[in-house]
Amino acid sequence: MKRVLLLHTGGTLGMTGEPLEPNAYSQALTDAVPELNELAEIDTEIVFNLDSSDIGPEHWTTLTDKIAEHYDDYDGFVIVHGTDTMAYSASALAYSLAGLDKPVVLTGAQRPLAALRTDARRNLADAVELATCDIPEVGICFDGLLLRGCCSTKSNARDYRAFDSPGISPLARLGVDIDVADHVLHRNEPFAPDARFDNHVLAVHMTPGFNPRLFELMLEAEDHPHGIVLAAFGAGTVPTAKRSLAPTVEKAVGLGIEVLVITQAYGLVDLSLYQNSRKLAEVGAVSGGRMTVEAAVPKLMHALAIYDDAEARRAYLQRNVAGELG
């Protein structure tokens, strides 16, 4: 049988005791979902036990290091994770696990494993089976779908289909059989994980009437951001006629702060398309293409940590590292 390492980080799925004990959790998991033992030889490790809103870059580093440590010992990895920030973690791991040639599947649940009508049993069984397949990507398994992790977003807090990957078809669909898509990535480079992230990144959501002075106050802080993800309108537009944001973005770039522009909608940022977007490019902002905020924030954190040279960093931000650009 193939070997799968299940890494528990917390979240709704395993909320049955406080605090969770590794042996008790592992036994309860096997008892509750006995079919797991028919799918793979499973080892379980509790890496941390947190509400996912408390999970951030330092935890992405721990998970990267944990997978790298056991990489040669297992055929695939399953990460039990809370849903709220699962897409951020999946994106971060897609970048940090460079050269990945094994499946890393994140899953969780909208209701605990012990609850009636829980979705945890199916999600967990699906994730373990997917971790034995030839799908060498970081993905999110939920409600019968495997989505590309760095293209996913939590789209519903109440429905069992909690995640979506707008514009990107699922990597796999689980029904009677597992239907694996043709666009699964198979990388040729050697496995070379890099677990570094710079958490001095801020996301700014553009709104009508936005006051650029609020942006400037961040730049004036002693511990100012090293990078800013700017969620602009449409194809990348921001106000320019009144309270223009371009001079403030220019000031940020002049201070060495990377500004990565994404869209609040689903689609492609094209900073050359409109005058109100072109001004951002003229002052040094970088287009984030099709990246979601969940993909853009960890990518910018990773880029800032691994590249001191601004030109190399910007080239990385615009490169399709793990399929995040579609």
Side-chain angles (χ1 to χ4, degrees):
M1 297 182 74
K2 291 195 174 182
R3 300 193 68 203
V4 171
L5 178 61
L6 192 152
L7 301 173
H8 179 73
T9 71
T12 299
L13 185 146
M15 289 185 177
T16 56
E18 187 177 351
L20 289 170
E21 295 290 338
N23 289 338
Y25 176 80
S26 180
Q27 183 62 45
L29 189 65
T30 305
D31 291 345
V33 195
E35 58 267 35
L36 296 181
N37 291 320
E38 300 177 18
L39 298 172
E41 182 182 337
I42 301 171
D43 291 326
T44 302
E45 182 173 342
I46 295 181
V47 186
F48 26 82
N49 184 28
L50 295 170
D51 186 293
S52 70
S53 61
D54 286 318
I55 291 179
E58 66 271 26
H59 304 100
W60 304 337
T61 296
T62 299
L63 287 169
T64 301
D65 290 341
K66 185 67 66 175
I67 290 171
E69 177 187 351
H70 296 290
Y71 195 72
D72 294 332
D73 302 325
Y74 294 93
D75 299 292
F77 301 85
V78 171
I79 300 173
V80 175
H81 195 292
T83 60
D84 288 347
T85 63
M86 188 185 293
Y88 287 94
S89 294
S91 295
L93 291 171
Y95 307 135
S96 65
L97 295 170
L100 182 71
D101 64 355
K102 299 178 180 182
V104 175
V105 184
L106 286 81
T107 195
Q110 296 287 62
R111 303 189 74 183
L113 187 59
L116 295 174
R117 295 195 308 103
T118 181
D119 56 332
R121 290 176 57 90
R122 180 189 182 186
N123 289 344
L124 196 54
D126 285 350
V128 169
E129 186 162 13
L130 286 166
T132 69
C133 297
D134 183 24
I135 307 176
E137 290 204 37
V138 178
I140 289 178
C141 174
F142 235 85
D143 196 40
L145 299 177
L146 179 67
L147 307 177
R148 177 168 290 155
C150 57
C151 295
S152 299
T153 185
K154 185 174 180 180
S155 56
N156 198 308
R158 303 295 296 174
D159 196 90
Y160 282 156
R161 181 150 294 181
F163 289 90
D164 192 12
S165 56
I168 305 294
S169 299
L171 298 177
R173 298 177 185 272
L174 296 99
V176 175
D177 300 308
I178 298 178
D179 182 16
V180 179
D182 293 334
H183 60 279
V184 171
L185 296 176
H186 293 268
R187 308 183 200 184
N188 296 320
E189 67 267 27
F191 183 58
D194 192 324
R196 291 174 291 169
F197 295 93
D198 182 342
N199 66 356
H200 284 68
V201 169
L202 185 69
V204 177
H205 193 92
M206 189 54 46
T207 56
F210 184 85
N211 186 348
R213 179 58 185 158
L214 300 176
F215 202 121
E216 290 180 15
L217 289 173
M218 296 184 296
L219 307 183
E220 294 168 3
E222 182 177 350
D223 190 22
H224 62 67
H226 299 164
I228 295 172
V229 173
L230 179 61
F233 303 121
T237 60
V238 295
T240 59
K242 184 179 181 180
R243 293 181 171 179
S244 175
L245 190 64
T248 310
V249 171
E250 184 175 25
K251 182 178 178 180
V253 173
L255 291 170
I257 300 170
E258 208 68 71
V259 179
L260 181 64
V261 183
I262 62 172
T263 174
Q264 299 172 21
Y266 296 124
L268 179 67
V269 166
D270 182 356
L271 296 183
S272 67
L273 188 59
Y274 294 99
Q275 185 63 26
N276 281 37
S277 55
R278 187 170 298 179
K279 286 185 179 296
L280 292 178
E282 290 172 353
V283 298
V286 178
S287 171
R290 296 184 182 275
M291 279 191 285
T292 62
V293 64
E294 295 96 333
V297 169
K299 189 173 186 182
L300 184 51
M301 288 180 173
H302 198 50
L304 289 165
I306 64 178
Y307 292 107
D308 292 327
D309 179 72
E311 185 175 341
R313 184 167 60 241
R314 292 182 174 202
Y316 176 82
L317 287 171
Q318 295 176 88
R319 180 160 58 90
N320 200 12
V321 175
E324 70 280 5
L325 299 183

